[in-house]
Amino acid sequence: QVRLVESGGGSVQVGGSLRLSCATSGSGSTYSYACMSWFRQAQGKERERVAFLYGSGGTNYADSVEGRFTISKDNAENTLYLSMNSLTPEDTAMYYCAADRGACYSFNYRGNLRDWGQGTQVTVSS
């Protein structure tokens, strides 16, 4: 059974930084996934994908976080990271890591080949 466990969320002031971690365990590992992503969902809003990491190492970011967020992974530690800088109140959300098995799926994929973590809350206050 695959488990994704996020950590690193918390409360921070505007302009601050946080680094989220997503540790994989069970039958999954960071190098075995085709793609890994970070999503977020703010209260009353739809879930959005903010950062995307291909197995080859390529990355893609939502316009709203481009230049401020960095997605990376450590295969030896089986951990995915999201470094977040220059945080604003608009970044307040529950952040989820996701991992695609076999292929990279679209942002709105809801099938059983995408594993999800339980989420970690990020709150940015002014």
Side-chain angles (χ1 to χ4, degrees):
Q1 182 178 358
V2 175
R3 290 189 64 208
L4 303 178
V5 180
E6 300 98 333
S7 62
S11 297
V12 65
Q13 291 191 327
V14 169
S17 300
L18 284 172
R19 189 175 79 157
L20 306 182
S21 300
C22 173
T24 69
S25 62
S27 57
S29 61
T30 52
Y31 68 82
S32 68
Y33 289 113
C35 299
M36 299 189 76
S37 305
W38 285 97
F39 287 74
R40 69 185 180 188
Q41 187 165 19
Q43 196 168 9
K45 296 187 177 181
E46 293 187 357
R47 185 174 296 188
E48 64 170 336
R49 184 161 62 187
V50 297
F52 187 83
L53 177 64
Y54 291 94
S56 62
T59 58
N60 188 269
Y61 297 93
D63 290 343
S64 58
V65 308
E66 180 79 52
R68 299 187 298 121
F69 289 13
T70 302
I71 187 172
S72 62
K73 67 177 179 177
D74 184 332
N75 287 334
E77 296 293 328
N78 286 324
T79 302
L80 178 74
Y81 299 101
L82 184 68
S83 295
M84 306 185 295
N85 298 312
S86 302
L87 287 163
T88 73
E90 288 69 36
D91 296 314
T92 295
M94 184 71 78
Y95 284 72
Y96 300 89
C97 70
D100 294 355
R101 290 181 277 122
C104 298
Y105 306 108
S106 64
F107 74 96
N108 57 355
Y109 175 79
R110 291 290 184 262
N112 61 3
L113 295 179
R114 173 170 286 164
D115 299 322
W116 292 93
Q118 82 291 348
T120 185
Q121 178 68 38
V122 171
T123 302
V124 184
S125 58
S126 56

